[in-house]
């Protein structure tokens, strides 16, 4: 019988599995399982280093998302995971009003935690982190980005921008025909402008700055860089990738 290392590298022929002796099948499965665990440990080490670099990149450039490219049809999306925690609901209720919170926040009595509606959560996080901008418009950001596009492409870009980095960068690369386009700073500003639209929808304009400072006493946001590894599963031909996987 082949040794375990050789079995681990051997490709599985599905058409022959039923013909294999049970002891051979057990050994084959054990070899593959051991390889998977060893590989998982190695991948964890690689991801930990990517995570470290992601944290450094976001901190040094003062942005919330970016991407790293591999050499052949692989890349890493880097974003900032945000966890919202309400420390003092009575005070938040006093500041924002029971009517708004009744619709947007659900109490979970067993854990004394709160589930916040998605858009209100995004707006509240923006207020706490300061990730909003009302000095520029999305049109101004797009027009000064230096992207090569005609009037039709510009109109499509403005229509499809959502303020979500992964979706927006994918849309831009496809629309503008540039698979390696970098637009971290521009998309960060657009993200902040979209946040401001949400902030205006939920929070009063009068004395907003004072309200924001008060809220920061009772609501906290924990931010952690997050990486998403993507790559081509299929054969690469002429620089074009086929099936895409994620890890």
């Amino acid at each position: 019988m082949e040794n375990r290392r050789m079995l681990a590298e051997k490709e599985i022929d599905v058409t022959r599995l039923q013909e294999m002796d049970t002891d051979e099948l057990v050994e084959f499965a054990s070899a593959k399982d051991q390889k998977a665990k060893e590989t998982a440990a190695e991948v964890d080490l690689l991801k930990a280093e990517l995570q470290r670099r992601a944290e450094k990149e976001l901190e040094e450039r003062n942005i919330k998302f970016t991407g790293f490219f591999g050499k052949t049809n692989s890349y890493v999306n880097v974003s900032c995971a945000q966890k919202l925690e309400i420390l003092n609901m009575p005070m938040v209720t006093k500041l924002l009003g029971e009517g708004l919170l009744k619709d947007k926040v659900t109490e979970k009595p067993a854990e004394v935690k709160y589930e916040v509606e998605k858009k209100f959560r995004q707006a509240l996080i923006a207020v706490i982190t300061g990730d909003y901008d009302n000095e520029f418009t999305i049109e101004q950001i797009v027009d000064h980005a230096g992207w090569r596009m005609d009037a039709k492409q510009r109109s499509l870009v403005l229509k499809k921008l959502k303020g979500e980095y992964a979706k927006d960068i994918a849309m831009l690369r496809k629309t503008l025909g540039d698979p390696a386009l970098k637009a971290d700073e521009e998309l960060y500003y657009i993200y902040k402008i979209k946040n401001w639209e949400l902030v205006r929808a939920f929070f009063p304009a009068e004395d907003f700055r004072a309200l924001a400072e008060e809220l920061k006493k009772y609501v906290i946001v924990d931010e952690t860089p997050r990486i998403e590894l993507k790559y081509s599963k299929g054969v690469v031909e002429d620089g074009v990738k086929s099936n895409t996987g994620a890890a």
Side-chain angles (χ1 to χ4, degrees), residues 8-43:
E9 301 300 328
K10 185 176 180 180
E11 188 174 338
I12 298 176
D13 183 352
V14 180
T15 62
R16 292 195 62 250
L17 289 181
Q18 293 185 6
E19 302 172 8
M20 294 176 68
D21 293 337
T22 300
D23 59 348
E24 184 181 3
L25 188 60
V26 168
E27 194 65 26
F28 200 5
S30 299
K32 288 292 186 183
D33 185 67
Q34 180 180 348
K35 179 186 177 184
K37 289 175 180 176
E38 291 173 352
T39 301
E42 292 174 344
V43 171

Side-chain angles (χ1 to χ4, degrees), residues 184-202:
D184 299 343
E185 284 79 8
E186 292 86 354
L187 291 183
Y188 182 38
Y189 264 103
I190 289 168
Y191 161 76
K192 293 201 291 185
I193 293 168
K194 288 287 188 179
N195 279 348
W196 177 245
E197 293 175 2
L198 288 177
V199 169
R200 285 192 307 169
F202 293 117

Side-chain angles (χ1 to χ4, degrees), residues 22-117:
T22 300
D23 59 348
E24 184 181 3
L25 188 60
V26 168
E27 194 65 26
F28 200 5
S30 299
K32 288 292 186 183
D33 185 67
Q34 180 180 348
K35 179 186 177 184
K37 289 175 180 176
E38 291 173 352
T39 301
E42 292 174 344
V43 171
D44 286 343
L45 289 174
L46 297 173
K47 285 186 174 181
E49 175 59 20
L50 285 169
Q51 181 83 9
R52 185 192 68 80
R53 297 186 187 192
E55 291 178 8
K56 183 179 179 182
E57 181 86 358
L58 296 185
E59 182 179 352
E60 289 182 350
R61 297 176 61 195
N62 192 28
I63 54 178
K64 290 290 173 74
F65 26 68
T66 185
F68 300 148
F69 281 93
K71 291 187 175 180
T72 311
N73 291 318
S74 58
Y75 61 96
V76 168
N77 276 337
V78 179
S79 59
C80 194
Q82 297 174 315
K83 180 183 177 183
L84 175 73
E85 185 176 354
I86 299 175
L87 301 177
N88 189 328
M89 179 55 81
M91 285 303 301
V92 174
T93 302
K94 182 179 178 181
L95 288 168
L96 299 182
E98 187 175 351
L100 174 61
L101 295 183
K102 185 177 181 180
D103 290 337
K104 302 300 178 184
V105 181
T106 304
E107 184 176 348
K108 292 185 173 182
E111 304 176 25
V112 197
K113 291 187 177 180
Y114 302 94
E115 183 175 327
V116 185
E117 185 265 342

Side-chain angles (χ1 to χ4, degrees), residues 154-168:
R154 178 184 181 277
S155 177
L156 189 60
V157 165
L158 289 173
K159 181 179 179 181
K160 290 192 173 185
L161 283 168
K162 298 179 179 297
E164 300 175 32
Y165 177 78
K167 292 180 180 179
D168 287 347

Side-chain angles (χ1 to χ4, degrees), residues 173-220:
R173 287 169 178 165
K174 180 179 180 181
T175 302
L176 303 183
D178 183 356
L181 178 71
K182 294 287 285 183
D184 299 343
E185 284 79 8
E186 292 86 354
L187 291 183
Y188 182 38
Y189 264 103
I190 289 168
Y191 161 76
K192 293 201 291 185
I193 293 168
K194 288 287 188 179
N195 279 348
W196 177 245
E197 293 175 2
L198 288 177
V199 169
R200 285 192 307 169
F202 293 117
F203 301 100
E206 185 178 353
D207 296 328
F208 169 72
R209 301 290 182 185
L211 173 64
E213 289 305 312
E214 282 297 304
L215 279 172
K216 291 176 184 178
K217 298 177 183 178
Y218 311 114
V219 180
I220 61 173

Side-chain angles (χ1 to χ4, degrees), residues 3 32 65 81 102 119 131 153 216 226:
N3 64 45
K32 288 292 186 183
F65 26 68
K102 185 177 181 180
K119 289 189 179 297
D131 280 331
Q153 289 172 315
K216 291 176 184 178
R226 175 179 59 194

